[in-house]
């Protein structure tokens, strides 16, 4: 199962549990404070997911490794391409 499938299954499970509790079937009576905390729960989870996503992107950006070998190889390709273009008459 892909990561997307796992996330969708988890969201479907949480969403269905939330819907069952929020719609309050006749046999289930939740106290008022629980209902008041339960109704905005999807918004809270969405904000928490956004914070987690921003923190993850920030951490990965801060710990991004430089690829010095790839940079040197790219510089070599650039100098080779420039030499080839100079040979063909293009001036920089």
């Amino acid at each position: 199962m892909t990561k997307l499938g796992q996330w969708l299954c988890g969201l479907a499970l949480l969403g269905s549990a939330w819907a069952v509790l929020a719609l309050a079937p006749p046999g289930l009576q939740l106290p008022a404070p629980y209902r008041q905390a339960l109704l905005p729960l999807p918004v809270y989870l969405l904000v928490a997911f956004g914070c987690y996503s921003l923190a993850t992107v920030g951490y990965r950006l801060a710990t991004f490794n430089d690829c010095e070998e790839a940079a040197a190889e790219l510089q070599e390709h650039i100098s080779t391409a420039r030499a080839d273009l100079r040979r063909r008459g293009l001036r920089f």
Side-chain angles (χ1 to χ4, degrees), residues 29-55:
Q29 295 297 327
L30 289 175
Y34 291 139
R35 284 189 56 104
Q36 289 174 352
L38 184 67
L39 290 177
L41 187 64
V43 176
Y44 295 150
L45 291 176
L46 185 64
V47 169
F49 178 72
C51 292
Y52 169 75
S53 298
L54 284 175

Side-chain angles (χ1 to χ4, degrees), residues 13-85:
L13 183 65
L14 286 175
S16 60
W18 176 82
V20 165
L21 292 174
L23 294 176
L28 179 66
Q29 295 297 327
L30 289 175
Y34 291 139
R35 284 189 56 104
Q36 289 174 352
L38 184 67
L39 290 177
L41 187 64
V43 176
Y44 295 150
L45 291 176
L46 185 64
V47 169
F49 178 72
C51 292
Y52 169 75
S53 298
L54 284 175
T56 301
V57 168
Y59 174 75
R60 300 263 170 95
L61 186 62
T63 59
F64 186 75
N65 294 331
D66 290 333
C67 302
E68 295 180 14
E69 299 87 20
E73 182 182 349
L74 183 61
Q75 289 295 330
E76 182 181 325
H77 287 296
I78 290 172
S79 62
T80 305
R82 282 187 176 180
D84 184 47
L85 289 174

Side-chain angles (χ1 to χ4, degrees), residues 2-14:
T2 64
K3 199 65 164 171
L4 176 63
Q6 291 175 353
W7 276 100
L8 290 176
C9 286
L11 285 175
L13 183 65
L14 286 175

